[in-house]
Amino acid sequence: MKRIGLRASCLVGFDGMQHVLWRDGEVVFHGSRIEFVGRGYPGSVDQWIDYGNALIGPGFIDLDALGDLDSTVLTLDNGDERDMGRMWSQQYLSEGSRESYSPEEEVFKYRYAFTQLIRNGITTAMPITSMYYREWAETYDEFAAVAGVAAELGLRTYLGPCYMSGMSYWRADGTLAHHWDENRGMAGLEAAEQFFKDFDGSHQDLIRGALLPDRIQTCTPALLQRTAALSRELNAPMRLHCCQGQGEVAMVEQLRGASPLSWLQQLGLLTPRSLLPHGIYTRGDDDLQRLVDGGASLVHCPVVFARDGEALDSFGRYRAKGMNFALGTDTWPADLLDNMRQGLNIARLMEGGNELTSTLDMYNAATLGGAKALGRDDIGRLAPGCKADITVFNLRGLHLGPLFDPLKNLLLAGRGDDCIASYIDGRCVMHDGQVQGVDYTALQRQAQRQFEKLMRSHSDRAFGQPDWKTLFRPAIPFADDYSADAPLSAIDPLL
């Protein structure tokens, strides 16, 4: 193993308590571990790489990482989800749910998404995908293949097949109902347990296991109670989406007689192992105190909610109460810099000023907060003994403007693809913006073909099964009918 040294005009180190900025900084690593952070390394190095005017920093941690060809973006200005076939209709359920992708296409979506995560400076990911276009939930065999893709690309991942015991659907009268299948839910949990035992720590510890039930309203009490017990037995991180919609809150209160967070507390699911996206709709300070007292982490995904005019009440006030925040992308694009920027602006709008939430708060959530949520002190920071998960962001871009503070410049004007190099576990997984071993052109063309297939599947789930092209409105109307029958993939994005 070579001893590698990286240099740049700016470097984010860690002094044991906080991130600190080094000018003309250096980081030296040997194998998977960092040996030195600072300036003037006194030892010998097999290879020095000088990135010039750039920011070397810790890799970002994305705990609601888009692992999909995102279907959420299709809701943008396309009307009510009940009409566009994203969620299940009663008609679809009665005819029998089905897969929209082949098994090979299911695995491909992860290859595409993981490449995008690396491309955006994310070195640790806990992926999320949609269950709406699945026949049910994810499978052991599927995730055995996904683990292989993550290891091949070199992405540090927390994996496990998603499981659930129910699915929401729309009745013909426009009301929301729920379909339950407890046996399927328990079988899914058993598969998740087996995956954890087989894959946790695999591929030189690049792959870790996690318990990933779908959403609080799609899981029965028995499934969640068994999840809580298994999380304790395995010391496994557990992620559960909750408090993300008014309909969810109303449904949980109707079914369980408690707010979502009160219900999770009763089930023993508010612990330091618990990662909870998104926490938008809570029942006041009592709910927040439950989170703090239990030691659970909120995974904040500001962009996906802002698109629908929703936002966390106060990032800064929650943090001041002792809440640990991590960040997630959840939707396209997989750009945590964009989530930091928009998260900062949204927080200040919600808080009516700039005193409660800072630039550094958002950066900490994407690094130190994510590591804490996973119970780790060896990632999310650059310090001797830590994992060599390192990113390099170019500071020479004209769009960044005159450089006055590397982190502020990036959060004000940067984008994920300013990341020009990435090292994970000491392996260079991206150089000069190119993820190693990936043909970007072929990847994008396959994604385009597959996304059209996803769009077509919306017709199956919509009432009356209308022509799929009528479900998606362009931002501006077409001038003629030229495109009416043309597949979207005929518009090659790479030409």
Side-chain angles (χ1 to χ4, degrees):
M1 292 184 292
K2 290 184 177 181
R3 181 169 285 102
I4 306 295
L6 311 179
R7 292 189 179 113
S9 61
C10 302
L11 181 144
V12 177
F14 186 75
D15 68 0
M17 296 292 292
Q18 63 183 348
H19 290 308
V20 292
L21 187 65
W22 286 89
R23 288 168 290 191
D24 298 320
E26 301 169 352
V27 57
V28 177
F29 58 93
H30 185 226
S32 67
R33 297 285 178 177
I34 294 172
E35 292 186 339
F36 175 84
V37 177
R39 189 186 309 118
Y41 178 64
S44 61
V45 170
D46 295 299
Q47 181 183 11
W48 278 106
I49 303 172
D50 192 333
Y51 287 102
N53 191 14
L55 177 68
I56 296 174
F60 295 149
I61 300 171
D62 186 344
L63 297 184
D64 210 34
L66 180 64
D68 221 335
L69 302 181
D70 185 23
S71 62
T72 306
V73 295
L74 295 174
T75 66
L76 187 65
D77 296 342
N78 270 322
D80 198 309
E81 287 192 3
R82 288 174 293 187
D83 301 324
M84 66 169 296
R86 183 163 187 262
M87 292 179 63
W88 293 11
S89 68
Q90 187 173 8
Q91 176 187 359
Y92 176 75
L93 179 62
S94 65
E95 293 175 354
S97 59
R98 47 204 173 274
E99 298 286 0
S100 299
Y101 290 153
S102 69
E104 294 77 18
E105 288 169 334
E106 289 291 353
V107 176
F108 170 81
K109 74 185 186 190
Y110 281 96
R111 181 177 296 279
Y112 184 83
F114 288 174
T115 299
Q116 297 288 355
L117 294 173
I118 293 171
R119 187 70 189 85
N120 282 274
I122 293 160
T123 57
T124 299
M126 184 180 282
I128 178 70
T129 69
S130 173
M131 298 301 106
Y132 288 138
Y133 59 87
R134 302 302 304 264
E135 190 268 335
W136 190 247
E138 295 164 335
T139 69
Y140 176 99
D141 289 342
E142 177 185 334
F143 265 73
V146 171
V149 171
E152 176 191 335
L153 293 173
L155 182 65
R156 190 180 303 283
T157 48
Y158 281 74
L159 297 177
C162 173
Y163 54 91
M164 61 190 188
S165 42
M167 175 61 83
S168 302
Y169 67 93
W170 292 111
R171 295 191 183 102
D173 63 5
T175 58
L176 195 62
H178 228 80
H179 168 71
W180 298 105
D181 192 330
E182 184 76 279
N183 290 335
R184 266 184 158 175
M186 288 301 181
L189 177 56
E190 289 174 7
E193 178 180 4
Q194 191 61 53
F195 181 88
F196 187 96
K197 291 176 178 178
D198 291 348
F199 284 90
D200 186 52
S202 65
H203 297 285
Q204 291 76 52
D205 201 35
L206 201 65
I207 308 299
R208 294 277 185 98
L211 299 177
L212 306 174
D214 180 39
R215 287 165 290 161
I216 185 172
Q217 73 271 33
T218 63
C219 296
T220 60
L223 188 67
L224 290 179
Q225 286 169 339
R226 178 57 187 143
T227 295
L230 193 58
S231 177
R232 290 193 300 271
E233 292 169 20
L234 301 175
N235 193 28
M238 187 283 309
R239 185 188 64 198
L240 178 62
H241 287 68
C242 67
C243 307
Q244 61 178 331
Q246 293 176 327
E248 169 216 309
V249 174
M251 181 172 287
V252 172
E253 289 179 339
Q254 178 186 6
L255 292 173
R256 316 301 175 204
S259 71
L261 290 177
S262 176
W263 178 235
L264 293 184
Q265 184 182 49
Q266 294 174 44
L267 294 170
L269 279 170
L270 296 184
T271 77
R273 295 180 300 277
S274 300
L275 292 75
L276 306 176
H278 299 272
I280 301 292
Y281 293 97
T282 60
R283 292 304 193 209
D285 287 345
D286 287 346
D287 265 356
L288 297 180
Q289 198 59 49
R290 290 184 176 96
L291 285 171
V292 174
D293 292 346
S297 296
L298 272 185
V299 183
H300 186 40
C301 308
V303 169
V304 69
F305 282 92
R307 286 180 185 162
D308 289 328
E310 300 171 297
L312 194 70
D313 284 346
S314 173
F315 183 97
R317 185 168 64 86
Y318 290 12
R319 191 184 60 81
K321 281 181 171 290
M323 187 85 65
N324 181 57
F325 275 105
L327 286 187
T329 49
D330 196 6
T331 186
W332 179 263
D335 188 343
L336 272 186
L337 273 181
D338 186 39
N339 275 271
M340 285 183 244
R341 174 168 52 251
Q342 293 200 43
L344 179 66
N345 293 339
I346 293 164
R348 291 179 169 184
L349 284 170
M350 298 297 291
E351 293 158 3
N354 61 7
E355 297 179 354
L356 296 180
T357 303
S358 71
T359 302
L360 183 58
D361 292 334
M362 288 292 165
Y363 186 75
N364 283 342
T367 53
L368 301 175
K372 182 178 179 180
L374 295 171
R376 301 186 66 156
D377 60 6
D378 62 343
I379 59 175
R381 70 209 71 195
L382 299 187
C386 290
K387 288 289 190 179
D389 290 4
I390 305 165
T391 56
V392 183
F393 279 83
N394 179 23
L395 296 177
R396 298 185 296 273
L398 187 64
H399 62 281
L400 292 175
L403 185 65
F404 66 98
D405 178 306
L407 187 56
K408 290 179 181 178
N409 275 86
L410 283 171
L411 259 70
L412 282 172
R415 50 184 185 250
D417 63 4
D418 287 321
C419 187
I420 55 174
S422 182
Y423 298 79
I424 303 177
D425 217 42
R427 170 188 170 187
C428 182
V429 299
M430 182 173 70
H431 173 69
D432 257 352
Q434 175 65 52
V435 176
Q436 306 283 17
V438 177
D439 181 338
Y440 284 0
T441 300
L443 192 79
Q444 185 71 356
R445 284 188 169 139
Q446 172 62 24
Q448 185 70 37
R449 289 191 294 268
Q450 195 163 311
F451 199 68
E452 182 188 325
K453 187 175 182 180
L454 173 66
M455 294 180 72
R456 289 179 182 274
S457 76
H458 276 242
S459 176
D460 297 333
R461 294 184 294 275
F463 280 107
Q465 298 181 339
D467 186 327
W468 68 277
K469 291 187 292 294
T470 67
L471 299 175
F472 307 106
R473 301 192 297 253
I476 57 175
F478 288 110
D480 53 30
D481 293 330
Y482 172 77
S483 63
D485 296 315
L488 292 176
S489 56
I491 307 171
D492 192 326
L494 300 171
L495 290 178

